[in-house]
C-alpha cells in the first residue's frame, strides 16, 4: 500500500545489467555485494543461492498482492515463501539470474525489495492489530506508510552507516517492539491531539538496549521531521568504519544521551524551519465487510479454534483471525488458495505479524464458520494449541551465513515435544512466547521472549550445538526489559527443557499476574534449577546425538559460517581453549609423575597453539595442522616470540617427547597467547606490540630505522654483519648501512638483493656510501 | 643472536650462505649431535661438525687407537696410539674449535645404555662397523623417535640413508642383519681409506642440514656409490608396513642386540 518511487524501475534494470557485469567479472564481488544487499537480495549459506526480501510497510499486504506473490514463487520455483519477524516476506533459493524478473514482477504488484537489506531504512513496522485493537490510541498504520513513502523516495536512505529500523505501536504496551527499534513511536494523545512518545537508539542484537525517550509527546504531524533528523544524525555521526558498532545506539554509547539529543535537536530544528516535510497521510483501504454477530455450528473443533485464534475487534461484529505458519513458511499453493478465499473480505483484510504469521481482520461474525471450514480444506494447521504455532525461530544456519545453530530444527523439536503435553496445559499458556535465534544476532527476537534461546558453539573435546537461555524479556513503556541470560543448554536437551518450563509455569500460572511476576516470585530460581540438570553433556562416545544439530545429517561444525558477525561463536571456542589451558596448568602444578606432566605440558602447547587460529579464519583438521598454522601465522608473523618455535616444533614432531624441561617456556607461551587474546579488539586485531627479538643496543628499540656503520669492514664481513642485523629485524623494517667505496659497494647491495631483501636507496656520501635496505 | 666478533669471522662463510645464514648458524650452535663410533666414518664427521660449530658433540667408542686405524681414521694421529679413541678425537675437536662442548663415552653402545645416551641429542650418526650394532642404533633411534644417519663402507663402496620419525627405517629396508659370513667386514675385506671420508662427509652434511632445517634429507632413499667406477646411484623405498620395528604389527618391542654372527672368514 506504500508508494514505490518511479526510480525503482530503472534501478531494477540497472541491477540486471550489474548482474551480467558481475558474472562476466567486470564488477568485483565485493562491489557487487554492496549493490545487491541494499536491493534486498542476500546470498544464502549455499553459495550461488539467494534470498529476495520484499518490504510490506506496517505489515500491510492485500490478498491480491499475496496472490501475486504466491504465483511469483510458483513460477520461479522459489518456495516456500517466508514471513519474517519484521513483517516482510521473502523468497528463498533464488538464482541470481532470476532476481531481476522477480524484482520486476514484485514492482508490478506494488512491492519493493529496495532497502530489504544492507545499510538502509528497513521495513517500517506497525502493531499488527493497528486499527482494530480495543486498547489502542489511534490507528498508526497510515503514519508508518506515510513515513515509508517519504523515506524510500530518498536516495540517502540507501547509504547509511548501518541499518535504520523504525516501528510504530498503537499504545504504550508496545506490541510492535518499537522500544527495540532504532526509532520507535508509541501512539499517545494529549488534550485530544494525536501524537507519539518517541524513542531513539533501541535495538536487539549485540549490546542491546531499549530506546531513549526523545519526545514525551510529539505531535503526529511531525514524525517525518523526526525520522529525517535521525537519518541525518545517523549518517553524520554513525560509525561507518566498524559495522559492529554502527547502529544508532552506539552513538549514544559513545557520546552520551544528552549530547546525542542536542545533536538531534540541531538537525530537527533546522528541518522544521525549512518546512520540507509536511505529513500527507495515505488513504488506507476501508473495510468492505458487513459486521455481523458470531454464528456457528457449536462444534467443539470450532469453539477451540475460536478460543485459540479468533479475537473480537474494536469494531463490533468484526473479528480478527490468526493464520499460523510454521516458522513463517508457506507453500505457494496454500497461499494462492488462501488469497482467493480472502479477496472477498476486501484489500485491507491482511496483516503480516511479528510472529511470522498472518493476521486476518474485518471478518464478520457470521462468516467465521465458513472461514474455519475453508482454512481446514487448504491445509493450514489450526487445530492445535496456539503456543505450538507461535514459536518464533530465525532461519538459522541452514540458510543464513551467520547462523551457528539450526534454530528452525530446534524449534520443530520443541514443537513436537510440546505436542506430547496435555492440550489443556498448552492452552493455559497460549500467549507464552518462546523465541530462538541461531546466533547472538537477534533475528529470532529471543531477547523479548518469555523464554528465549540463542545459538552458540560449545566444546566438549568436540564442538556441539548449544544455546544460551534467556528469561523474562518484554517490551512496553516503562516495563521494557531484555531477557536475562540464565545459563546454557545443549541443543539436544533444549526441547525437553522447554517443555518442562511450560509444564511448570502452566501449573503455577494461576497464582500470578503473568510470567514476569512468576519469575520475580521465585520462578527464575525454579527454572534455573531445571536448567542445572542439563549441565552435563555426554562424551561423543557415550551419545553421538549431542554432536548433531536438530535436522542435521552431519556432525556439528562452523564450516561455511561467515566470519564477521558470528564472532560470539568464535569467542566461545577461544574461551574453551583458554579455560582448558588454565585447568591443565593447575594439574601440572599438582602432578608429580614425569611422563604425565610431560603429556599435560604437550596439551598446553596444543591448546595455546590452537586458541587463536580461529581469529585468522583457520580451521585445522588435525593436530599437525594446528602446530604448523601456529608457527606460520603467529610465530613467523611476530605475534608471539620466536623463542617458542622449538617447543612448538617438538610438539609437532614428537608429541611424546620430553616437555618437562620446557615447563617454564610452555607456561610463558600460554601467557603470551592469553595476553594476545585479551588485547584483541572487535575487529580481531591484536593490540599487543609485535614481539621483537631482544636487542642489545637500546637505541635500536627506539628508532624505526636501524643503522650500522660498516665502513672499514672488508668483504665479506660487511655482508655477514649486514645479515646479522637483518636477522634481528622484522619484515618491512628498514636498515641503513654505511659501506666503503670499491668492493663493498660493488658487492654488498647485490648480495642483499640476492637474499630477497629490497635495497630501497643507494646514496654516495663523500667517499663512502649509504645503503637503505627494507627487510623482506 | 649475539655473535662475538670472533664467531662472526669464524662462521662468516656459513653466515653468508643463503639457507644457512644467521638463523641457521644459530641452530647449528644450539645443536647436539652424537657420533656412534670414532672410527673411519666418525673421524670426518666429528671434524666437520666441530669446524661447523655444532654446540655439543657426543663421542662414543670403547676402543683405543691402534696402528691399523691410521690408514683411514683421520682424526687420530700416530702419537695417539693406545689412547682411547674418544679422548683422541675430543682433543682434536678442541683444537679445531674450542667452543664445541664434547661429551665422551668410552664404552660400546649397548641396549642398556643406548636410550640414556641418545636422549640428550638432536641427531645421531651411525659410524659403527658391524651389523648388530647398526640395527641396534636404528632400533634405538626409531623407538626414541630420534633422527639419524646410517652409513656403511666396504672396499670401494659406500651407502647411506637418513631416518627421521615417520620415514622408512633401516629395518624397513633390510629386515635384520645378514646371515653370518654373507657380508665380510672391513677387517676381512679391506676398504679404501678415502671412502670413509667420502661417506662420512655426506653424513656430516645430513646432520648439518637437519640442524639448519634446510634442503632435502636422504629419507626414503639410499645413496650408494662405487668409487672404482665413481658412480653414484639412489634406491627409493617407502616405510614398510611389514617392518618388524615400525610396521603395522611390530614385533620388536624392546631394545636388544641381535646375536653377533661370529665371522668365520677370519
Amino acid at each position: 500500500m506504500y508508494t514505490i518511487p518511479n526510480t525503482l524501475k530503472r534501478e531494477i534494470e540497472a541491477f540486471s545489467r550489474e548482474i551480467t557485469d558481475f558474472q562476466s567479472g567486470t564488477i568485483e564481488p565485493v562491489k557487487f555485494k554492496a549493490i545487491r544487499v541494499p536491493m534486498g537480495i542476500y546470498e544464502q549459506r549455499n553459495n550461488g543461492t539467494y534470498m529476495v526480501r520484499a518490504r510490506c510497510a506496517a505489515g500491510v499486504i492485500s490478498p491480491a498482492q499475496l496472490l501475486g506473490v504466491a504465483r511469483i514463487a510458483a513460477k520461479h520455483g522459489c518456495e516456500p515463501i517466508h514471513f519474517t519477524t519484521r513483517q516482510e516476506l521473502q523468497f528463498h533459493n533464488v538464482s541470481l539470474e532470476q532476481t531481476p524478473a522477480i524484482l520486476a514482477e514484485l514492482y508490478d504488484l506494488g512491492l519493493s525489495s529496495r532497502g530489504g537489506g544492507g545499510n538502509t531504512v528497513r521495513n517500517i513496522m506497525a502493531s499488527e492489530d493497528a486499527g482494530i485493537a480495543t486498547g489502542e490510541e489511534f490507528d498508526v498504520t497510515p503514519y508508518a506508510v506515510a513515513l515509508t513513502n517519504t523515506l524510500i523516495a530518498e536516495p540517502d536512505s540507501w547509504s547509511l552507516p548501518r541499518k535504520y529500523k523504525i516501528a510504530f505501536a498503537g499504545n504504550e504496551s508496545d506490541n510492535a517492539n518499537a522500544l527495540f527499534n532504532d526509532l520507535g513511536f508509541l501512539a499517545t494523545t494529549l488534550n485530544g491531539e494525536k501524537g507519539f512518545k518517541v524513542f531513539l537508539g533501541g535495538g536487539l542484537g549485540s549490546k542491546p538496549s531499549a530506546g531513549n525517550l526523545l519526545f514525551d509527546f510529539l505531535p503526529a504531524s511531525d514524525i517525518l521531521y523526526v525520522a529525517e533528523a535521525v537519518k541525518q544524525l545517523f549518517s553524520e555521526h554513525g560509525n561507518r568504519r566498524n559495522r559492529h558498532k554502527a547502529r544508532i545506539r552506539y552513538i549514544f554509547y559513545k557520546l552520551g544521551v544528552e549530547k546525542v539529543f542536542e545533536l538531534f535537536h540541531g538537525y530537527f530544528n533546522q528541518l522544521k524551519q525549512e518546512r520540507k516535510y509536511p505529513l500527507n497521510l495515505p488513504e488506507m483501504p476501508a473495510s468492505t465487510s458487513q459486521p455481523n454477530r458470531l454464528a456457528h455450528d457449536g462444534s467443539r473443533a470450532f469453539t477451540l479454534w475460536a478460543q485459540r485464534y479468533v479475537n473480537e475487534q474494536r469494531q463490533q461484529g468484526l473479528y480478527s483471525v490468526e493464520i499460523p505458519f510454521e516458522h513463517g513458511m508457506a507453500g505457494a499453493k496454500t497461499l494462492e488458495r488462501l488469497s482467493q478465499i480472502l479477496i472477498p473480505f476486501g484489500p485491507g483484510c491482511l496483516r503480516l505479524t511479528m510472529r511470522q504469521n498472518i493476521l486476518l481482520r474485518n471478518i464478520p461474525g457470521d462468516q467465521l464458520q465458513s472461514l474455519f471450514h475453508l482454512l481446514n480444506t487448504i491445509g493450514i494447521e489450526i487445530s492445535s494449541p496456539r503456543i505450538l504455532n507461535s514459536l518464533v525461530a530465525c532461519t538459522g544456519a541452514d540458510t543464513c551465513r551467520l547462523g551457528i545453530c539450526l534454530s528452525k530444527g530446534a524449534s520443530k523439536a520443541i514443537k513436537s515435544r510440546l505436542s506430547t503435553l496435555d492440550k489443556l496445559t498448552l492452552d493455559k499458556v497460549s500467549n507464552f512466547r518462546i523465541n530462538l535465534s541461531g546466533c547472538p544476532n537477534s533475528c529470532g527476537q529471543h531477547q523479548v521472549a518469555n523464554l528465549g534461546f540463542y545459538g552458540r558453539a560449545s566444546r566438549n573435546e568436540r564442538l556441539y550445538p548449544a544455546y544460551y537461555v534467556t528469561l523474562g524479556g518484554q517490551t512496553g513503556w516503562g516495563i521494557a526489559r531484555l531477557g536475562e541470560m540464565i545459563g546454557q543448554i545443549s541443543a539436544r536437551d533444549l526441547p525437553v527443557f522447554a517443555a518442562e518450563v511450560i509444564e511448570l509455569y502452566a501449573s503455577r500460572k494461576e497464582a500470578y499476574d503473568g510470567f514476569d511476576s512468576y519469575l520475580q516470585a521465585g520462578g527464575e530460581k525454579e527454572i534455573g534449577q531445571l536448567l542445572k540438570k542439563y549441565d552435563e553433556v555426554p562424551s561423543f562416545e557415550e551419545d553421538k546425538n549431542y554432536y548433531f544439530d536438530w535436522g542435521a545429517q552431519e556432525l556439528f561444525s562452523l564450516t561455511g559460517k561467515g566470519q564477521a558477525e558470528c564472532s560470539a561463536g568464535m569467542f566461545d571456542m577461544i574461551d574453551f581453549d583458554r579455560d582448558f589451558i588454565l585447568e591443565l596448568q593447575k594439574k601440572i602444578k599438582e602432578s608429580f609423575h614425569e611422563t604425565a606432566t610431560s603429556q599435560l605440558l604437550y596439551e598446553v602447547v596444543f591448546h595455546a597453539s590452537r586458541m587463536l587460529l580461529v581469529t585468522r579464519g583457520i580451521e585445522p583438521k588435525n593436530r599437525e595442522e594446528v602446530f604448523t598454522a601456529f608457527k606460520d601465522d603467529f610465530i613467523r608473523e611476530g605475534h608471539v616470540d620466536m623463542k617458542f618455535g622449538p617447543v612448538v616444533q617438538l610438539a609437532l614432531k614428537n608429541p611424546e617427547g620430553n616437555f618437562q624441561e620446557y615447563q617454564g617456556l610452555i607456561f610463558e607461551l600460554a601467557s603470551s597467547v592469553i595476553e594476545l587474546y585479551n588485547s584483541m579488539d572487535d575487529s580481531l586485531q591484536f593490540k599487543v606490540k609485535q614481539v621483537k627479538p631482544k636487542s642489545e643496543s637500546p637505541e635500536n628499540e627506539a628508532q624505526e630505522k636501524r643503522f650500522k656503520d660498516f665502513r672499514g669492514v672488508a668483504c665479506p664481513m660487511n655482508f655477514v654483519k649486514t645479515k646479522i642485523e637483518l636477522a634481528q629485524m622484522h619484515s618491512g623494517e628498514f636498515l641503513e648501512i654505511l659501506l666503503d667505496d670499491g668492493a663493498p659497494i660493488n658487492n654488498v647491495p647485490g648480495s642483499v638483493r640476492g637474499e630477497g631483501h629490497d635495497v630501497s636507496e643507494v646514496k654516495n656520501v663523500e667517499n663512502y656510501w649509504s645503503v637503505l635496505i627494507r627487510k623482506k | 643472536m649475539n655473535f662475538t666478533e670472533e664467531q662472526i669471522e669464524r662462521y662468516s662463510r656459513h653466515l653468508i650462505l643463503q639457507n644457512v645464514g644467521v638463523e641457521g648458524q644459530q641452530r647449528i650452535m644450539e645443536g647436539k649431535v652424537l657420533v656412534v663410533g670414532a672410527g673411519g666414518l666418525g673421524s670426518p664427521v666429528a671434524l666437520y661438525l666441530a669446524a661447523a660449530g655444532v654446540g655439543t658433540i657426543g663421542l662414543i667408542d670403547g676402543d683405543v687407537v691402534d696402528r691399523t686405524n691410521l690408514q683411514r681414521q683421520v682424526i687420530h694421529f700416530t702419537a695417539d696410539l693406545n689412547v682411547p679413541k674418544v679422548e683422541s678425537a675430543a682433543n682434536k675437536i678442541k683444537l679445531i674449535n674450542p667452543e664445541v662442548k664434547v661429551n665422551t663415552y668410552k664404552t660400546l653402545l649397548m641396549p642398556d645404555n643406548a636410550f640414556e645416551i641418545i636422549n640428550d641429542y638432536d641427531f645421531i650418526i651411525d659410524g659403527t662397523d658391524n651389523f648388530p650394532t647398526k640395527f641396534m642404533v636404528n632400533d634405538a633411534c626409531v623407538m626414541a623417535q630420534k633422527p639419524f644417519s646410517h652409513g656403511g663402507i666396504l672396499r670401494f663402496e659406500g651407502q647411506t640413508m637418513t631416518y627421521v620419525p615417520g620415514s622408512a627405517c633401516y629395518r624397513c629396508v633390510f629386515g635384520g642383519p645378514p646371515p653370518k659370513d654373507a657380508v665380510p667386514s672391513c677387517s676381512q675385506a679391506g676398504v679404501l681409506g678415502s671412502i670413509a671420508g667420502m661417506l662420512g662427509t655426506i653424513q656430516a652434511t645430513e646432520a648439518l642440514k637437519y640442524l639448519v632445517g634446510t634442503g632435502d634429507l636422504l629419507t626414503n632413499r639410499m645413496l650408494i656409490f662405487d668409487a672404482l667406477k665413481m658412480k653414484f646411484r639412489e634406491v627409493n623405498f617407502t616405510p614398510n608396513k611389514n617392518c618388524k620395528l615400525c610396521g603395522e604389527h611390530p614385533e620388536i618391542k624392546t631394545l636388544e642386540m641381535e646375536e653377533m654372527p661370529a665371522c668365520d672368514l677370519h
Side-chain angles (χ1 to χ4, degrees):
Chain A
M1 301 298 147
Y2 52 92
T3 313
I4 297 179
N6 48 23
T7 48
L8 183 68
K9 191 99 191 167
R10 267 178 287 136
E11 285 176 332
I12 295 172
E13 285 159 11
F15 182 62
S16 177
R17 286 192 299 275
E18 279 148 358
I19 291 175
T20 319
D21 289 349
F22 164 66
Q23 286 173 333
S24 68
T26 330
I27 303 185
E28 290 166 10
V30 181
K31 193 167 167 210
F32 179 67
K33 187 180 171 191
I35 299 167
R36 166 172 61 76
V37 173
M39 280 307 268
I41 298 162
Y42 279 79
E43 187 163 24
Q44 295 181 177
R45 196 159 173 132
N46 286 336
N47 286 336
T49 61
Y50 294 83
M51 176 274 277
V52 177
R53 181 186 286 160
R55 61 167 70 232
C56 302
V60 176
I61 184 168
S62 70
Q65 284 176 318
L66 192 62
L67 180 63
V69 164
R71 288 182 173 157
I72 291 174
K75 177 177 162 191
H76 295 279
C78 42
E79 291 180 80
I81 293 141
H82 183 212
F83 302 117
T84 74
T85 54
R86 278 198 74 80
Q87 301 179 306
E88 305 143 308
L89 52 88
Q90 293 177 178
F91 300 97
H92 284 269
N93 306 319
V94 180
S95 74
L96 202 51
E97 296 81 359
Q98 289 174 319
T99 54
I102 292 177
L103 297 188
E105 287 162 32
L106 283 172
Y107 179 86
D108 291 339
L109 288 176
L111 294 171
S112 164
S113 71
R114 197 79 172 93
N119 305 328
T120 61
V121 175
R122 299 295 186 89
N123 192 39
I124 297 177
M125 296 170 54
S127 299
E128 64 199 34
D129 54 5
I132 61 170
T134 16
E136 75 176 0
E137 297 281 345
F138 56 89
D139 184 0
V140 296
T141 316
Y143 297 90
V145 176
L147 187 52
T148 299
N149 290 342
T150 302
L151 290 175
I152 67 174
E154 296 177 328
D156 64 355
S157 294
W158 312 134
S159 55
L160 296 167
R162 196 69 189 95
K163 52 193 167 191
Y164 179 11
K165 290 181 170 177
I166 305 173
F168 287 83
N171 61 26
E172 291 181 356
S173 72
D174 187 19
N175 62 352
N177 281 356
L179 262 70
F180 294 107
N181 276 257
D182 294 293
L183 180 60
F185 294 95
L186 303 189
T188 184
T189 45
L190 185 69
N191 306 326
E193 192 193 350
K194 288 179 182 175
F196 293 96
K197 275 191 158 58
V198 182
F199 296 84
L200 182 61
L204 301 174
S206 67
K207 280 213 167 192
S209 166
N212 301 284
L213 183 63
L214 180 62
F215 286 99
D216 198 43
F217 182 86
L218 175 81
S221 55
D222 277 352
I223 58 166
L224 299 184
Y225 291 99
V226 170
E228 290 291 340
V230 169
K231 193 166 79 177
Q232 290 186 2
L233 166 81
F234 187 23
S235 187
E236 284 163 37
H237 295 274
N239 185 343
R240 285 181 187 268
R241 201 161 21 160
N242 183 352
R243 71 194 303 266
H244 305 301
K245 292 188 174 167
R247 294 284 292 278
I248 290 173
R249 59 181 179 275
Y250 283 94
I251 310 178
F252 282 95
Y253 299 152
K254 192 176 153 201
L255 301 179
V257 178
E258 219 170 288
K259 177 71 186 163
V260 179
F261 280 8
E262 185 192 317
L263 287 168
F264 166 82
H265 284 291
Y267 295 111
F268 180 71
N269 294 336
Q270 179 68 32
L271 288 168
K272 286 283 282 182
Q273 273 179 13
E274 293 167 12
R275 299 183 186 209
K276 269 171 58 182
Y277 291 102
L279 182 68
N280 294 311
L281 288 182
E283 197 72 33
M284 300 307 291
S287 166
T288 54
S289 301
Q290 191 60 47
N292 216 325
R293 285 165 51 161
L294 185 64
H296 60 93
D297 63 1
S299 74
R300 176 159 167 74
F302 177 87
T303 314
L304 271 177
W305 171 68
Q307 278 170 10
R308 287 166 176 162
Y309 295 103
V310 178
N311 276 302
E312 287 182 36
Q313 291 184 194
R314 191 172 74 209
Q315 299 82 357
Q316 227 175 12
L318 295 180
Y319 294 82
S320 70
V321 177
E322 186 167 2
I323 314 277
F325 294 96
E326 191 174 60
H327 304 130
M329 295 295 189
K333 197 80 211 159
T334 308
L335 277 192
E336 188 173 346
R337 295 174 68 181
L338 178 66
S339 312
Q340 285 161 339
I341 293 170
L342 296 179
I343 285 172
F345 295 107
C349 74
L350 264 177
R351 294 289 162 98
L352 304 184
T353 77
M354 289 164 47
R355 288 181 312 286
Q356 307 173 312
N357 290 335
I358 283 178
L359 189 69
L360 306 185
R361 53 171 62 197
N362 303 336
I363 311 295
D366 59 345
Q367 301 201 25
L368 285 169
Q369 177 75 55
S370 64
L371 180 68
F372 174 63
H373 173 72
L374 287 169
L375 293 178
N376 270 320
T377 60
I378 62 171
I380 288 176
E381 187 203 333
I382 51 173
S383 60
S384 50
R386 185 167 175 265
I387 186 173
L388 296 181
N389 281 323
S390 45
L391 302 171
V392 172
C394 69
T395 181
D398 49 8
T399 57
C400 176
R401 287 185 154 244
L402 306 178
I404 296 169
C405 294
L406 295 169
S407 36
K408 273 190 311 201
S411 169
K412 265 191 186 146
I414 295 176
K415 185 172 176 177
S416 69
R417 184 75 196 184
L418 288 181
S419 303
T420 65
L421 300 184
D422 176 30
K423 287 197 174 170
L424 279 175
T425 305
L426 294 175
D427 279 330
K428 270 192 201 169
V429 291
S430 61
N431 291 322
F432 195 86
R433 300 185 309 278
I434 301 179
N435 292 30
L436 292 97
S437 300
C439 76
N441 291 299
S442 308
C443 305
Q445 301 177 340
H446 59 270
Q447 286 146 320
V448 289
N450 297 124
L451 176 61
F453 299 96
Y454 62 102
R456 55 165 293 165
S458 274
R459 202 193 273 276
N460 186 13
E461 260 312 302
R462 277 170 185 273
L463 284 181
Y464 66 89
Y467 287 83
Y468 282 115
V469 183
T470 66
L471 273 187
Q474 60 183 22
T475 182
W477 163 233
I479 56 164
R481 73 177 179 118
L482 298 163
E484 192 176 334
M485 206 271 280
I486 60 157
Q488 64 156 313
I489 190 162
S490 66
R492 183 75 188 165
D493 289 330
L494 189 154
V496 180
F497 168 72
E500 285 176 348
V501 172
I502 290 295
E503 269 190 300
L504 182 66
Y505 176 54
S507 72
R508 300 273 193 270
K509 186 171 184 268
E510 272 162 42
Y512 302 99
D513 258 359
F515 189 61
D516 199 42
S517 41
Y518 162 65
L519 285 182
Q520 280 168 26
E524 190 167 332
K525 209 170 157 194
E526 231 174 4
I527 293 172
Q529 268 154 4
L530 276 183
L531 183 60
K532 270 216 176 64
K533 286 195 300 185
Y534 302 104
D535 272 357
E536 292 281 309
V537 170
S539 71
F540 186 70
E541 288 68 29
E542 285 165 348
D543 188 350
K544 296 185 174 47
N545 286 315
Y546 281 82
Y547 300 85
F548 288 83
D549 205 347
W550 289 104
Q553 302 298 314
E554 285 166 13
L555 273 175
F556 180 69
S557 83
L558 298 174
T559 318
K561 205 167 55 64
Q563 269 184 29
E565 280 181 61
C566 47
S567 45
M570 190 186 73
F571 290 127
D572 289 338
M573 295 168 64
I574 298 174
D575 289 348
F576 169 82
D577 277 324
R578 184 199 52 198
D579 296 347
F580 207 82
I581 289 169
L582 299 177
E583 217 167 284
L584 284 167
Q585 287 180 322
K586 219 186 289 168
K587 279 190 198 155
I588 289 163
K589 284 176 188 153
E590 292 159 4
S591 163
F592 294 103
H593 188 277
E594 282 187 16
T595 324
T597 310
S598 186
Q599 271 302 301
L600 292 171
L601 283 162
Y602 164 76
E603 288 296 324
V604 173
V605 178
F606 169 68
H607 288 282
S609 300
R610 183 175 70 180
M611 192 170 134
L612 296 178
L613 293 182
V614 63
T615 67
R616 293 297 174 264
I618 303 166
E619 289 198 43
K621 287 187 276 299
N622 53 45
R623 293 198 163 211
E624 284 74 32
E625 285 187 19
V626 166
F627 296 124
T628 310
F630 184 70
K631 285 198 318 188
D632 290 349
D633 286 73
F634 283 83
I635 297 182
R636 198 165 298 162
E637 290 297 314
H639 295 307
V640 297
D641 201 299
M642 268 177 48
K643 70 182 174 190
F644 300 119
V647 74
V648 175
Q649 178 70 18
L650 178 67
L652 172 65
K653 290 288 175 206
N654 186 10
E656 269 122 58
N658 180 5
F659 290 89
Q660 236 190 332
E661 59 178 300
Y662 299 110
Q663 177 163 335
L665 191 69
I666 290 172
F667 277 29
E668 215 184 307
L669 168 67
S671 311
S672 299
V673 171
I674 290 170
E675 191 194 345
L676 200 58
Y677 174 38
N678 293 338
S679 83
M680 197 169 73
D681 66 16
D682 292 346
S683 55
L684 310 184
Q685 298 305 309
F686 302 121
K687 287 207 201 76
V688 163
K689 262 202 323 234
Q690 297 237 321
V691 186
K692 290 184 180 175
K694 285 190 193 76
S695 165
E696 285 294 287
S697 41
E699 77 271 20
N700 286 342
E701 304 264 317
Q703 63 193 40
E704 281 292 295
K705 184 174 74 177
R706 287 177 181 241
F707 171 80
K708 281 284 166 184
D709 184 354
F710 293 141
R711 285 178 295 174
V713 183
C715 292
M717 292 315 293
N718 41 19
F719 175 51
V720 172
K721 291 186 172 183
T722 303
K723 281 189 75 170
I724 288 175
E725 278 307 302
L726 286 167
Q728 299 174 47
M729 293 165 45
H730 281 273
S731 179
E733 284 183 337
F734 285 94
L735 169 69
E736 184 190 1
I737 54 172
L738 302 185
L739 293 171
D740 286 325
D741 198 19
I745 190 60
N746 289 337
N747 288 304
V748 174
S751 301
V752 168
R753 274 195 206 99
E755 302 232 318
H757 306 291
D758 186 30
V759 175
S760 317
E761 196 180 80
V762 179
K763 259 190 328 206
N764 186 217
V765 191
E766 295 168 11
N767 60 343
Y768 64 92
W769 296 78
S770 155
V771 177
L772 189 64
I773 301 162
R774 187 165 178 274
K775 186 174 174 176
K776 72 171 168 189
Chain B
M1 240 171 287
N2 300 316
F3 288 97
T4 62
E5 284 298 311
E6 277 183 14
Q7 284 172 326
I8 292 174
E9 280 186 47
R10 178 186 282 271
Y11 302 121
S12 62
R13 295 306 187 272
H14 274 171
L15 296 174
I16 292 174
L17 196 57
Q18 281 194 35
N19 292 14
V20 178
V22 180
E23 295 87 348
Q25 183 60 37
Q26 184 78 18
R27 290 188 202 115
I28 293 173
M29 288 159 66
E30 287 162 2
K32 297 175 174 179
V33 179
L34 176 70
V35 183
V36 184
L41 298 175
S43 291
V45 169
L47 290 171
Y48 277 106
L49 295 186
V54 169
T56 306
I57 298 177
L59 297 168
I60 175 163
D61 201 312
D63 287 344
V64 296
V65 180
D66 83 39
R67 207 174 300 273
T68 65
N69 301 147
L70 299 177
Q71 162 258 13
R72 64 192 178 282
Q73 301 182 10
V74 294
I75 206 165
H76 310 303
F77 301 169
T78 310
D80 297 319
L81 285 175
N82 296 319
V83 175
K85 283 185 177 176
V86 291
E87 197 180 302
S88 157
N91 291 338
K92 309 304 175 345
I93 289 173
K94 285 290 170 199
L95 287 171
I96 295 169
N97 191 342
E99 287 179 356
V100 175
K101 180 175 180 236
V102 188
N103 299 328
T104 56
Y105 310 87
K106 186 183 178 306
T107 172
L108 294 172
L109 192 73
M110 299 299 281
D112 60 354
N113 64 8
F115 286 127
E116 200 184 322
I117 294 173
I118 69 172
N119 252 342
D120 288 339
Y121 297 90
D122 303 322
F123 194 91
I124 289 91
I125 304 272
D126 165 29
T128 62
D129 62 353
N130 65 81
F131 287 106
T133 313
K134 284 192 186 301
F135 278 94
M136 202 216 27
V137 170
N138 175 74
D139 296 356
C141 288
V142 171
M143 286 179 185
Q145 295 280 287
K146 293 281 185 184
F148 80 99
S149 165
H150 153 82
I153 48 172
L154 191 67
R155 300 187 181 112
F156 293 91
E157 290 163 31
Q159 61 172 36
T160 177
M161 62 171 272
T162 301
Y163 165 85
V164 297
S167 74
C169 79
Y170 189 51
R171 257 187 212 281
C172 287
V173 189
F174 293 111
K180 70 179 189 179
D181 304 343
V183 181
S185 74
C186 292
S187 51
Q188 301 140 14
V191 62
L192 188 72
S194 61
I195 300 296
M198 286 177 71
L199 198 94
T201 49
I202 292 173
Q203 288 187 287
T205 305
E206 289 288 280
L208 292 174
K209 274 161 61 189
Y210 176 81
L211 292 180
V212 170
T214 192
D216 302 322
L217 296 169
L218 273 171
T219 48
N220 294 329
R221 56 196 173 116
M222 175 105 47
L223 178 68
I224 301 166
F225 66 79
D226 176 352
L228 267 186
K229 299 191 176 110
M230 203 47 97
K231 285 200 166 157
F232 285 72
R233 65 191 177 95
E234 260 182 47
V235 178
N236 291 317
F237 40 80
T238 52
N240 182 351
K241 64 180 196 303
N242 297 319
C243 177
K244 282 191 284 185
L245 179 65
C246 66
E248 285 168 8
H249 305 288
E251 291 163 29
I252 303 170
K253 306 253 168 75
T254 54
L255 192 58
E256 275 168 35
M257 184 78 91
E258 285 179 59
E259 201 179 314
M260 173 85 83
C263 185
D264 293 344
L265 291 179
H266 258 304

